[in-house]
Amino acid sequence: MLTYDINNNKEKRLDLLGRLYFFSLPLTFITLPGGLLFSDLIGIILVVKMMFKNKYRVGLPLLIAFYFFLMGSLLGMIRSPDDLRSVKSIIQQTLVILVLYPVMKNYLNYCSNLKKVLNVYKNGVLILAFFIISFYLSGNTFGITNTVFASSRIAIGGTGPNVIARVLVIGALITLYFSQVGFKYRSSVIWYLQFFVISFGILATLSISGILLWVIGSIWLLYVYNSKKNIKNFSRLLVIGGAGLLVMIFLYMRVDFIQDEIEMVLQRVNSAVGVNSHSIMNNTRFILLRDFLDYLGDYWILGVGYSNSNYLVGTVIHFPLLAALVEIGLIGFFGILIMYFYPIYMIFKRKRIVRWDVTSVLSVLIILGDMIQPNPNYRFTWFAILLPVVIFTSKEKYKYKRKENENNIYIE
């Protein structure tokens, strides 16, 4: 199969501030006054350093997208019923484009740094999984873990279950990726253990969309990183999958909290996708879609204000592209559209041999998840969306070579 590396052996070392930034990015419970994350503070420090060294760069497509978004957001504030809510959401999206993206671009200009950054981010996700498992085993919340919606759905700090599920999905798929590209048996076992630990956290959120993304992403990555030509790889997957299934059955029969968790997931699936016409007609998401054209006629030029669509229907709109039209009008919608489709464009612009690597899979999955998430301006999930952009917009020259004796497509 094919792999690639970089002609220039020099690389930007992942220094202490860089490690701290990517490690703290998924730790959504470490917040500062005003709702900023601790990672935002580190990111701003890194941005200031880059400016002093004349290394601060924002890609032109995303910069154009941000200008459209900002223009639409400012126009939307003319009719906004909640200026403070709009300003906070605008700041969050600003941190995605003007802080997260330049910092990622600074550290990930070299593919050899990708594994380091993914591993550091994954370690932060493991902390979230630790708090969730500790809560189930000991009942200790550490003032961080809680349940919401009177249904035992896990939340972390002020971050809801669906968002936490997406962060955990990113971490779980990173561990699965490392388990496939590592060639040492002992290290692969450790990666698989971490994968199952984080995966339990996903189940604990009872997020149907999160669980679907986890299942689709796991199958996708296993397919990408296991060649059809080598039956040994698929035999290994069957053995691992069978062993994992037996362990889950054993735990389900013997461990009460796992049994309760699986039963709650099944109940939530049944209530979320039930075929009862009455429940479907009263689902707020279907009501929103049904009434959307009425709102579009009133707000397609001057929106109701970014993140303020809840004032129209009494709840948040779970479709961000539709929400953009009524919140920040056509101008802002164009900016949001570019932000989401530019990473997809960059994926298809890649060389075929690396088009669907781990960065592409993560990006597409989180974009799909965001399409049913209200105002998804979270830095910790946009990290996954922006990966294909920052990796393959580097000015470095890439050298592609064939390795006949390898069975995996991986990043060196």
Side-chain angles (χ1 to χ4, degrees):
M1 298 297 291
L2 296 173
T3 183
Y4 59 86
D5 57 10
I6 296 172
N7 291 331
N8 190 341
N9 291 324
K10 296 180 180 179
E11 69 175 67
K12 171 114 182 127
R13 185 173 62 88
L14 191 59
D15 55 25
L16 180 60
L17 273 180
R19 289 179 181 275
L20 187 58
Y21 179 71
F22 292 112
F23 173 76
S24 62
L25 197 57
L27 301 181
T28 63
F29 56 88
I30 308 180
T31 58
L32 303 172
L36 293 179
L37 301 175
F38 173 72
S39 59
D40 294 329
L41 175 61
I42 304 301
I44 292 171
I45 293 172
L46 287 169
V47 163
V48 172
K49 284 184 62 178
M50 286 187 287
M51 286 180 172
F52 274 114
K53 295 181 179 181
N54 197 27
K55 293 183 178 180
Y56 180 78
R57 301 287 186 275
V58 180
L60 184 60
L62 287 180
L63 197 57
I64 292 173
F66 176 73
Y67 283 147
F68 277 104
F69 160 78
L70 185 61
M71 191 183 305
S73 298
L74 294 177
L75 290 174
M77 291 186 68
I78 295 175
R79 303 173 66 179
S80 171
D82 191 339
D83 289 340
L84 181 60
R85 182 184 178 95
S86 288
V87 169
K88 285 183 176 179
S89 297
I90 292 169
I91 290 173
Q92 289 174 349
Q93 195 67 52
T94 301
L95 290 169
V96 170
I97 303 301
L98 301 187
V99 176
L100 173 66
Y101 175 71
V103 171
M104 290 178 65
K105 189 172 179 64
N106 182 59
Y107 284 105
L108 291 176
N109 268 349
Y110 297 88
C111 293
S112 52
N113 244 6
L114 175 62
K115 285 187 177 181
K116 298 174 187 175
V117 170
L118 290 179
N119 190 40
V120 171
Y121 183 95
K122 178 270 307 175
N123 288 338
V125 177
L126 269 177
I127 300 296
L128 297 183
F130 165 79
F131 285 123
I132 292 173
I133 291 176
S134 176
F135 171 76
Y136 275 92
L137 292 177
S138 65
N140 194 339
T141 66
F142 295 99
I144 295 170
T145 309
N146 54 79
T147 56
V148 294
F149 305 140
S151 59
S152 299
R153 298 185 66 191
I154 289 292
I156 299 290
T159 308
N162 290 326
V163 180
I164 289 297
R166 281 157 179 69
V167 178
L168 293 169
V169 165
I170 297 171
L173 296 182
I174 289 173
T175 61
L176 188 61
Y177 157 71
F178 280 121
S179 71
Q180 301 308 299
V181 300
F183 299 103
K184 293 182 179 179
Y185 173 77
R186 182 177 297 179
S187 63
S188 292
V189 170
I190 293 173
W191 288 119
Y192 278 119
L193 287 175
Q194 293 181 11
F195 172 74
F196 287 116
V197 166
I198 298 175
S199 297
F200 175 76
I202 298 171
L203 294 175
T205 64
L206 297 182
S207 170
I208 303 305
S209 58
I211 293 172
L212 283 175
L213 294 177
W214 169 64
V215 171
I216 294 170
S218 298
I219 295 172
W220 197 351
L221 281 182
L222 289 175
Y223 172 78
V224 168
Y225 288 97
N226 289 272
S227 171
K228 293 180 180 179
K229 296 179 181 179
N230 192 335
I231 194 64
K232 290 183 179 180
N233 284 354
F234 283 94
S235 299
R236 180 186 65 176
L237 290 178
L238 288 174
V239 170
I240 292 172
L245 181 61
L246 290 175
V247 170
M248 285 301 298
I249 293 174
F250 176 79
L251 292 175
Y252 178 78
M253 299 298 293
R254 296 284 184 172
V255 183
D256 290 340
F257 77 85
I258 290 182
Q259 186 176 26
D260 294 340
E261 196 63 34
I262 292 176
E263 289 178 355
M264 284 191 292
V265 169
L266 294 176
Q267 290 174 8
R268 178 161 171 75
V269 170
N270 182 58
S271 63
V273 299
V275 295
N276 184 284
S277 59
H278 180 74
S279 64
I280 291 177
M281 292 303 296
N282 285 279
N283 185 289
T284 55
R285 302 188 187 187
F286 282 94
I287 292 173
L288 172 64
L289 290 175
R290 186 187 63 194
D291 299 336
F292 174 70
L293 289 178
D294 294 335
Y295 300 127
L296 179 61
D298 294 332
Y299 296 103
W300 72 275
I301 298 178
L302 294 179
V304 71
Y306 191 48
S307 195
N308 284 338
S309 55
N310 60 304
Y311 285 94
L312 298 177
V313 293
T315 185
V316 291
I317 297 177
H318 280 263
F319 304 93
L321 294 181
L322 301 183
L325 277 170
V326 298
E327 291 180 350
I328 52 181
L330 190 61
I331 295 175
F333 166 80
F334 187 63
I336 294 291
L337 198 66
I338 295 174
M339 290 182 195
Y340 276 111
F341 280 88
Y342 182 56
I344 295 176
Y345 165 75
M346 291 306 299
I347 289 172
F348 283 94
K349 188 180 177 182
R350 290 179 171 188
K351 300 288 185 180
R352 277 185 171 274
I353 53 178
V354 291
R355 180 169 295 164
W356 293 111
D357 70 346
V358 63
T359 61
S360 298
V361 173
L362 287 173
S363 182
V364 169
L365 287 174
I366 299 304
I367 288 174
L368 290 175
D370 274 8
M371 291 303 101
I372 53 172
Q373 186 72 14
N375 292 115
N377 42 31
Y378 310 109
R379 282 78 75 205
F380 33 85
T381 52
W382 270 91
F383 165 81
I385 293 175
L386 293 172
L387 280 172
V389 180
V390 296
I391 289 295
F392 291 98
T393 53
S394 169
K395 293 181 180 179
E396 292 298 321
K397 300 296 183 181
Y398 294 93
K399 175 184 177 184
Y400 292 84
K401 62 182 180 180
R402 183 175 297 275
K403 282 194 173 183
E404 300 291 348
N405 60 335
E406 297 292 345
N407 297 311
N408 298 305
I409 299 173
Y410 65 102
I411 298 175
E412 288 186 330

